[in-house]
Amino acid sequence: MKKEDLEYFQGILQKQLDDLVRGAGRTVDDMTEIESKSSFPDPTDRAALESDRNFELRIRDRERKLINKIRKALDKIEDGSFGFCEVCGEPIEFKRLEARPVTTHCIECKTTAEEEEKIRRL
């Protein structure tokens, strides 16, 4: 992969990482602020708050996993292994990397893995 391409993906990944980390910080601040300013004598209101909080935490957990994938992709850019399939070792198509820069599998290997997973579930 060309140096310009690596810089392009590094920029995309770094921006995503920065946005996700900022969002996580806002969530913690918002949750702390709501908890300190609120008292809910009505159990229904309290249940609604807890439901919303659980939903928000599930989203943040997914984002935490994405942050880890982004960091791994940035490490791969640094060590020169970015853009190569972890299964077959072939280069991953540029369009696939544009669509999902954190991918670690070429489309053929990912399709095979998904088909095997589907079979195991049956």
Side-chain angles (χ1 to χ4, degrees), residues 72 76 81 84-90 92 103-106 109:
K72 287 179 184 175
K76 286 180 169 236
S81 62
F84 292 95
C85 179
E86 289 181 348
V87 176
C88 68
E90 294 294 317
I92 300 172
T103 191
T104 58
H105 296 87
C106 67
C109 292

Side-chain angles (χ1 to χ4, degrees), residues 3-114:
K3 183 179 179 186
E4 300 84 37
D5 295 339
L6 291 173
E7 289 172 354
Y8 169 74
F9 286 116
Q10 187 173 25
I12 290 173
L13 290 164
Q14 191 60 54
K15 182 182 181 322
Q16 285 181 348
L17 180 62
D18 294 343
D19 291 346
L20 289 169
V21 170
R22 243 190 327 276
R26 278 194 305 271
T27 298
V28 170
D29 293 343
D30 291 347
M31 285 183 163
T32 305
E33 183 178 317
I34 288 172
E35 188 65 32
S36 67
K37 290 184 178 180
S38 305
S39 72
F40 295 99
D42 182 21
T44 306
D45 291 341
R46 184 66 180 177
L49 174 70
E50 291 298 325
S51 177
D52 291 347
R53 179 178 292 160
N54 287 336
F55 180 71
E56 184 74 24
L57 290 173
R58 281 195 311 271
I59 290 171
R60 293 301 168 213
D61 187 53
R62 290 184 63 146
E63 289 177 350
R64 179 189 56 79
K65 292 175 184 175
L66 180 56
I67 286 170
N68 289 335
K69 289 179 181 181
I70 291 171
R71 287 185 173 142
K72 287 179 184 175
L74 289 169
D75 289 343
K76 286 180 169 236
I77 288 174
E78 292 299 317
D79 71 19
S81 62
F82 180 81
F84 292 95
C85 179
E86 289 181 348
V87 176
C88 68
E90 294 294 317
I92 300 172
E93 290 184 30
F94 189 87
K95 286 184 180 184
R96 176 157 171 75
L97 289 170
E98 273 190 314
R100 184 144 174 88
V102 297
T103 191
T104 58
H105 296 87
C106 67
I107 195 70
E108 292 83 15
C109 292
K110 184 63 175 176
T111 302
T112 302
E114 287 175 353

